[in-house]
Amino acid sequence: MQKASSLRNRIGKEKLYKYLDDEEEKIKSYKPIPLRHFIYFLLLIVIVFILVIIVEKRLPKGLSIDEEKDHPNKFIAERAHIILRELTSVGPRIAGSYENEVLAVNYLINQTKKILREAHDNHVIELDVQKTSGDFNLEFLDGMTNVYRDMQNVIVKVGSRIKSPYSLLINCHFDTVINSPGASDDGAGCAVMMEILRVITKSDKILRHNIIFLFNGGEENFMPASHGFITQHKWAKEIRAFINLEACGAGGREILFQAGPYHPWIMETYSEEVPYPFASSLAQEIFQSGVIPGDTDYRIFRDFGNLSGLDFAWSSNGYVYHTEFDSLEQIPLGSLQRTGDNILALAVGMAQGHQLSNVEEYKAGNLVFFDFLGAFVVRWSMEVADLINILSVIISVYSLYANSKTMEASDYLTKKNYVKKLFGCVGSVLWSWVSALLGCLAVALLLNSIGPTMSWYANPVWIFFLYVIPTYTACMLTIYLHASYFNKDLILSPWTLFQLYFDSYQLLWTVLLALGVMAGIRSSFIPLMWVIAATVENLVKTQLYKKWRDSKWLLLHIGVMGLPFVQGFYLTLSALYLFIPIMGRAGSASYAEYLIAIMASLQFCVLLCFAVPIILLVQKMKKIFSLLMGVILLSIAVLLLTPLGFPYSGNPNWLAPQRFMILHSQRIYRGISGSVENNTSGFWIVDMDINSPHSVDRYVPEMRNAVSVNQDCRDYLYCGLPYLVPVLNMLGKTHWIPTTSAPKTTPIVMKYNRENITSGQRLHLEIQGANHVGIMISPVPGVELKTWSFNSKHPLAGPKWNGRETYFIYYAHGLTPKPLNFSLDMKVPSDHKGYIMDFAVSTHNLFGEGRKSESLKKFVSQFPRWTTVTSWTATYESWLL
């Protein structure tokens, strides 16, 4: 491999092409595939890409109210659409606002009562409105303690005369983030649930078990309402499983991305009942790894209710997620119909099943699951998965052994020589992946240095030209050079040469599958697909085409390996749909261009593995490489020299806006005496992507004055800035623009007194501000926060600040203002002098008249139409206690 690398370094482009020309002249008569056939093959791949995209976007027809008489007991999308329109007409529904606590709650109650008036007598129905208070530790983002007061839930319990003591829970949330109508997140989920409630209660079908519909009013506050329900409500103890409806996009298909833990019967019910499956345990492993900046009520029901269930979310069109554009217009009737049909069938199937009567009996086993092109679900327990994977590994190794025997008989290649060459080919395949990755990173570096970054954000097709084609080109060129230099003795036997490299891919997948079994990775079904396909191809070929020397074998190869290729692209497409919009809100430190380059390169190294060795069978290779290199260079030139690479779009038909989060902030720093030592005001620019904040300098001249807050992050707790929640690790790179005017925010009132205790001091504190408050604590070196008066007795620490522990408390309340009272027990050395902690409070005006100052309105009004700005006023005040 080192020799090949040095040779590649020595020969330039012209020498390489001359070498390829010489090789063409020497061996072209031995290459069985004409150039035009290879072009057809590439076109076939592109056609498959297009067809899978079409299949992925397919939605059922949304039923109208006029069609209801022809579809009795069916979900009617138009009814859900009407409910969604009326709910979103309220406007943004931030927890604590009048819109959320009064208007939305009253609408849901009235809508429920209207449905219940038409309910069948076979159902026993109860309606309850809960106000709940509490607190809990949440290991999410940097970690926080969530304290809440008077969060509201609207709850409907549907049972029957059977009076089952067991229930299924279905959950949505009706609150929204600031500035967003929340049509998809999660108004649509609540509209779907309301229509399901109507269909179930109007039917004369008697339920075996109860169904509880939870419309919760505080998910966007990091899930306090669901916590209050599952830990305190009178019906919580009878729940045995749950279904959670969420969104990180708008429209499209809802994906089942979390299932369990354990209880494989839930997944079996899903696969047997739903008409339009879309599920993947790969998505679950990705989500639970923390790479996606989000969480759902699934965590609360699982961790605090000790329940198993299913988590669904719309993931397409994530550009409008948590923005002003998350409106009714983004939700097609087909999406509502699809989700409604699926959840209705699933809910009835689970409620009518016998498993809810004794869930512990069906608890054992974890789940591997994925759907095949949305047609059906493949699912099995981890034990079955391990058995299938191990058998596949054994049979795969046997097929490779059979190939070695065939080569010994047909090509006079001894088993020893076959093994030696096979491992050499494995090395070349690994090096081809490294070469492809380095090539894509080089393109990303070029774009980051001199060109437009994130061109693929509004136009994902750029990924194909910038990263997919270079990946395929690098892989093919590396394999071809390795074959030419290290397998010269087989250069006149291209079919044998191809078989060696194909076997090397199979061996790699087999090793990865074996490692997946040992690590207990549920997404090992991905290498399993490739291993099974390659093994089947080799076994069939050994039996039917012993010399594997004609076009029939090539058709067998394309046909068999095409199955994992199609399924692999289906999974890749879903991942790209999810991750591309996330790059617009993952922070400026996310290095989005490099992340997408790595993601695309690795995914398509895998996806195109069956197509790479075909280059060894093709005539006129120079023209292939010239064509592909020409496409790459032309693409980069178009990107750099034309506006086609602009990364954002304000077109209503294809929204991909750049996000900005701007807080008109006042920062007050107090010294040991309690007197104000510094008082400044300005616009805090929270950079949401790598192009922020200077992408709008031409439109917003003040942005040119934005300065980094890196020094403030070293000097002050949480950078001396009003973080709403602890996200320093994700959104630590921010900017500040000084202003002469301070925002008129709800003032922070902080009262405290000290009490000596055995181990040190107890501080009693009272904090009052706006509806949403952040409290930050950092003991000085030598001092420890041992416990506090919250229910979660053990404080959850966050990221270190100058080597010191930090703690973050997030507090929100309902409509009526309530101060937060709590105490801290500090372990203080007896010889300690001076203050014992840095203490800071941020308060946020997320709604109402105080949300925007006049200067903030003027500042935001300058932003171009291809941006979306989330803004409010806030105050940060710190003390040395």
Side-chain angles (χ1 to χ4, degrees):
M1 192 182 299
Q2 186 177 0
K3 181 179 177 182
S5 177
S6 62
L7 281 171
R8 278 195 299 276
N9 292 333
R10 290 206 306 269
I11 61 176
K13 181 178 177 182
E14 293 183 2
K15 290 184 178 180
L16 172 62
Y17 282 170
K18 184 178 184 304
Y19 171 81
L20 294 175
D21 281 339
D22 293 341
E23 290 297 302
E24 292 287 345
E25 291 302 318
K26 287 192 293 182
I27 62 173
K28 65 181 179 182
S29 60
Y30 296 95
K31 295 296 183 76
I33 302 179
L35 176 61
R36 67 179 184 278
H37 290 177
F38 186 73
I39 300 297
Y40 298 154
F41 174 68
L42 295 181
L43 290 175
L44 177 62
I45 290 176
V46 174
I47 291 170
V48 170
F49 285 167
I50 295 171
L51 291 176
V52 173
I53 290 171
I54 292 172
V55 168
E56 200 277 338
K57 291 184 176 296
R58 186 178 57 197
L59 293 171
K61 177 183 178 294
L63 295 178
S64 67
I65 295 174
D66 292 338
E67 296 173 290
E68 185 176 2
K69 60 181 180 299
D70 300 321
H71 302 277
N73 297 324
K74 287 283 289 183
F75 183 95
I76 305 299
E78 187 181 7
R79 288 188 185 277
H81 194 265
I82 292 171
I83 294 169
L84 181 58
R85 183 182 66 224
E86 293 172 348
L87 181 60
T88 54
S89 68
V90 171
R93 303 173 297 282
I94 302 97
S97 68
Y98 180 79
E99 290 80 4
N100 191 68
E101 307 304 326
V102 177
L103 297 182
V105 169
N106 286 344
Y107 174 76
L108 292 170
I109 292 172
N110 293 333
Q111 189 67 29
T112 301
K113 288 180 177 178
K114 177 182 175 182
I115 290 172
L116 300 189
R117 284 195 293 267
E118 301 175 0
H120 196 279
D121 290 341
N122 283 344
H123 304 289
V124 178
I125 306 169
E126 298 176 73
L127 170 64
D128 187 40
V129 179
Q130 179 193 27
K131 273 192 177 181
T132 180
S133 302
D135 63 79
F136 59 99
N137 285 344
L138 184 61
E139 295 182 9
F140 172 64
L141 300 173
D142 295 342
M144 70 181 88
T145 298
N146 193 336
V147 183
Y148 59 94
R149 300 289 182 264
D150 293 343
M151 292 290 112
Q152 292 196 90
N153 292 312
V154 178
I155 312 155
V156 185
K157 179 179 177 181
V158 180
S160 68
R161 307 297 174 188
I162 298 175
K163 295 185 178 179
S164 169
Y166 308 112
S167 296
L168 168 71
L169 173 70
I170 311 179
N171 174 72
C172 72
H173 68 89
F174 59 85
D175 69 313
T176 71
V177 295
I178 180 175
N179 203 40
S180 176
S184 67
D185 185 24
D186 186 26
C190 292
V192 165
M193 278 175 51
M194 195 66 76
E195 173 60 8
I196 290 174
L197 174 63
R198 185 194 68 83
V199 175
I200 289 176
T201 56
K202 199 169 184 179
S203 169
D204 61 356
K205 191 172 184 178
I206 297 175
L207 294 174
R208 173 183 280 189
H209 300 295
N210 313 312
I211 302 179
I212 295 174
F213 294 81
L214 170 59
F215 301 88
N216 91 62
E219 193 271 350
E220 298 295 358
N221 271 25
F222 300 95
M223 303 160 289
S226 58
H227 179 269
F229 170 79
I230 205 65
T231 59
Q232 301 171 38
H233 197 269
K234 59 184 178 181
W235 295 333
K237 297 300 182 184
E238 66 187 58
I239 296 170
R240 293 297 178 266
F242 67 89
I243 298 170
N244 186 52
L245 302 183
E246 257 295 353
C248 58
R253 305 180 300 158
E254 83 290 343
I255 182 173
L256 169 54
F257 67 101
Q258 295 193 91
Y262 311 112
H263 294 273
W265 68 270
I266 299 176
M267 196 64 223
E268 291 172 4
T269 305
Y270 174 84
S271 63
E272 292 168 358
E273 299 292 342
V274 302
Y276 314 109
F278 183 30
S280 174
S281 51
L282 170 63
Q284 179 166 2
E285 290 185 324
I286 291 173
F287 186 83
Q288 293 181 349
S289 70
V291 300
I292 297 175
D295 212 338
T296 75
D297 290 313
Y298 176 96
R299 173 197 287 265
I300 302 299
F301 301 136
R302 180 195 65 194
D303 295 353
F304 295 95
N306 194 29
L307 295 171
S308 292
L310 302 173
D311 206 3
F312 295 89
W314 285 344
S315 58
S316 298
N317 194 18
Y319 301 105
V320 304
Y321 171 72
H322 280 191
T323 73
E324 63 193 287
F325 301 117
D326 185 10
S327 62
L328 184 68
E329 290 72 27
Q330 302 297 328
I331 314 296
L333 279 178
S335 291
L336 292 172
Q337 188 68 52
R338 176 196 161 89
T339 302
D341 285 346
N342 280 347
I343 303 304
L344 174 60
L346 176 63
V348 172
M350 293 177 70
Q352 299 290 31
H354 61 278
Q355 293 92 342
L356 287 182
S357 300
N358 188 4
V359 291
E360 290 302 312
E361 182 180 343
Y362 304 98
K363 179 179 181 179
N366 224 323
L367 303 164
V368 174
F369 58 92
F370 60 94
D371 71 292
F372 184 80
L373 299 181
F376 57 87
V377 175
V378 178
R379 92 280 181 186
W380 45 59
S381 67
M382 282 297 293
E383 292 77 14
V384 172
D386 288 343
L387 179 61
I388 293 172
N389 292 341
I390 292 170
L391 288 175
S392 298
V393 168
I394 293 171
I395 297 173
S396 175
V397 171
Y398 169 77
S399 73
L400 293 174
Y401 172 74
N403 280 350
S404 71
K405 291 180 64 177
T406 305
M407 284 191 179
E408 187 173 39
S410 303
D411 296 288
Y412 308 105
L413 191 65
T414 65
K415 290 189 183 72
K416 181 178 180 181
N417 204 18
Y418 168 82
V419 172
K420 179 180 177 182
K421 286 183 175 293
L422 181 64
F423 280 98
C425 292
V426 168
S428 72
V429 169
L430 292 173
W431 178 244
S432 74
W433 292 351
V434 173
S435 300
L437 182 60
L438 293 177
C440 289
L441 287 174
V443 172
L445 177 62
L446 174 68
L447 296 178
N448 265 341
S449 302
I450 64 172
T453 58
M454 293 179 63
S455 58
W456 35 261
Y457 185 67
N459 299 291
V461 71
W462 277 113
I463 291 177
F464 180 78
F465 293 103
L466 296 176
Y467 300 124
V468 176
I469 294 179
T471 292
Y472 191 35
T473 303
C475 286
M476 287 196 300
L477 185 58
T478 304
I479 294 298
Y480 184 81
L481 290 173
H482 182 269
S484 300
Y485 289 118
F486 290 93
N487 289 313
K488 284 185 176 181
D489 54 326
L490 296 174
I491 205 72
L492 302 183
S493 303
W495 293 99
T496 303
L497 193 59
F498 176 94
Q499 186 64 45
L500 265 174
Y501 286 93
F502 179 71
D503 287 354
S504 68
Y505 278 106
Q506 182 179 342
L507 180 58
L508 268 176
W509 287 124
T510 304
V511 171
L512 289 174
L513 180 58
L515 293 174
V517 173
M518 289 186 284
I521 298 174
R522 281 181 281 177
S523 52
S524 294
F525 67 85
I526 295 175
L528 174 67
M529 293 187 302
W530 292 101
V531 168
I532 290 177
T535 301
V536 168
E537 179 181 325
N538 273 332
L539 293 176
V540 171
K541 192 168 49 184
T542 302
Q543 296 299 317
L544 300 182
Y545 309 115
K546 294 191 180 294
K547 293 186 179 294
W548 58 79
R549 295 291 189 271
D550 55 25
S551 59
K552 285 188 284 187
W553 174 85
L554 195 58
L555 291 174
L556 172 70
H557 174 71
I558 294 173
V560 174
M561 299 306 295
L563 291 174
F565 167 71
V566 170
Q567 178 67 11
F569 181 65
Y570 177 72
L571 294 171
T572 296
L573 190 66
S574 299
L576 290 174
Y577 280 159
L578 175 65
F579 274 98
I580 289 174
I582 285 176
M583 292 298 99
R585 59 180 189 268
S588 61
S590 65
Y591 305 104
E593 196 70 44
Y594 296 107
L595 292 176
I596 290 296
I598 292 170
M599 181 179 177
S601 181
L602 293 179
Q603 285 182 324
F604 282 89
C605 277
V606 171
L607 200 59
L608 296 170
C609 65
F610 84 106
V612 170
I614 292 179
I615 192 66
L616 302 172
L617 305 173
V618 180
Q619 302 170 10
K620 300 180 180 179
M621 300 83 66
K622 177 184 175 182
K623 290 187 177 181
I624 295 171
F625 292 124
S626 296
L627 174 65
L628 294 175
M629 287 300 299
V631 171
I632 295 169
L633 295 175
L634 179 62
S635 300
I636 293 175
V638 169
L639 195 65
L640 297 177
L641 301 176
T642 73
L644 294 176
F646 187 69
Y648 309 109
S649 170
N651 186 337
N653 297 320
W654 181 247
L655 286 167
Q658 184 181 20
R659 296 169 182 251
F660 285 89
M661 186 177 293
I662 302 173
L663 282 68
H664 190 189
S665 307
Q666 184 175 20
R667 306 159 74 184
I668 302 170
Y669 308 110
R670 298 180 180 273
I672 297 178
S673 65
S675 60
V676 176
E677 294 186 345
N678 195 359
N679 187 340
T680 61
S681 297
F683 297 131
W684 180 32
I685 314 298
V686 182
D687 301 323
M688 301 300 288
D689 71 21
I690 57 176
N691 292 322
S692 178
H694 296 296
S695 56
V696 295
D697 284 359
R698 186 157 59 97
Y699 305 90
V700 190
E702 295 93 331
M703 279 293 197
R704 298 168 190 161
N705 302 322
V707 295
S708 172
V709 297
N710 288 342
Q711 185 58 46
D712 290 338
C713 292
R714 289 186 284 269
D715 294 342
Y716 302 108
L717 178 60
Y718 267 87
C719 305
L721 292 164
Y723 275 90
L724 178 62
V725 288
V727 287
L728 272 176
N729 289 330
M730 186 177 79
L731 299 175
K733 185 179 177 183
T734 64
H735 288 79
W736 179 262
I737 302 174
T739 62
T740 55
S741 61
K744 295 180 180 179
T745 60
T746 305
I748 297 172
V749 179
M750 197 276 285
K751 301 176 183 177
Y752 76 97
N753 61 71
R754 301 177 191 265
E755 173 189 354
N756 290 325
I757 57 176
T758 303
S759 60
Q761 297 180 18
R762 175 173 294 159
L763 273 70
H764 299 274
L765 299 110
E766 179 178 292
I767 309 293
Q768 189 161 4
N771 284 70
H772 300 259
V773 172
I775 300 168
M776 293 143 274
I777 301 167
S778 181
V780 301
V783 176
E784 296 179 45
L785 173 56
K786 297 299 292 183
T787 187
W788 52 23
S789 58
F790 300 120
N791 292 325
S792 50
K793 297 296 184 183
H794 301 288
L796 179 63
K800 293 289 183 73
W801 171 56
N802 294 332
R804 295 161 54 178
E805 297 286 0
T806 66
Y807 303 88
F808 197 104
I809 301 168
Y810 177 71
Y811 173 58
H813 59 72
L815 192 64
T816 304
K818 288 190 174 182
L820 176 62
N821 293 281
F822 63 101
S823 63
L824 307 173
D825 284 6
M826 312 297 297
K827 183 180 179 181
V828 183
S830 57
D831 58 347
H832 180 80
K833 303 294 183 183
Y835 67 97
I836 62 174
M837 74 172 78
D838 284 70
F839 186 87
V841 179
S842 65
T843 184
H844 301 263
N845 290 78
L846 300 181
F847 53 84
E849 293 182 0
R851 183 191 145 202
K852 283 192 177 183
S853 62
E854 290 302 317
S855 57
L856 181 59
K857 291 178 184 177
K858 182 180 178 181
F859 181 61
V860 170
S861 68
Q862 302 175 82
F863 281 74
R865 63 188 294 267
W866 44 264
T867 63
T868 178
V869 182
T870 300
S871 59
W872 66 89
T873 58
T875 300
Y876 173 100
E877 192 165 354
S878 67
W879 295 262
L880 303 177
L881 299 182

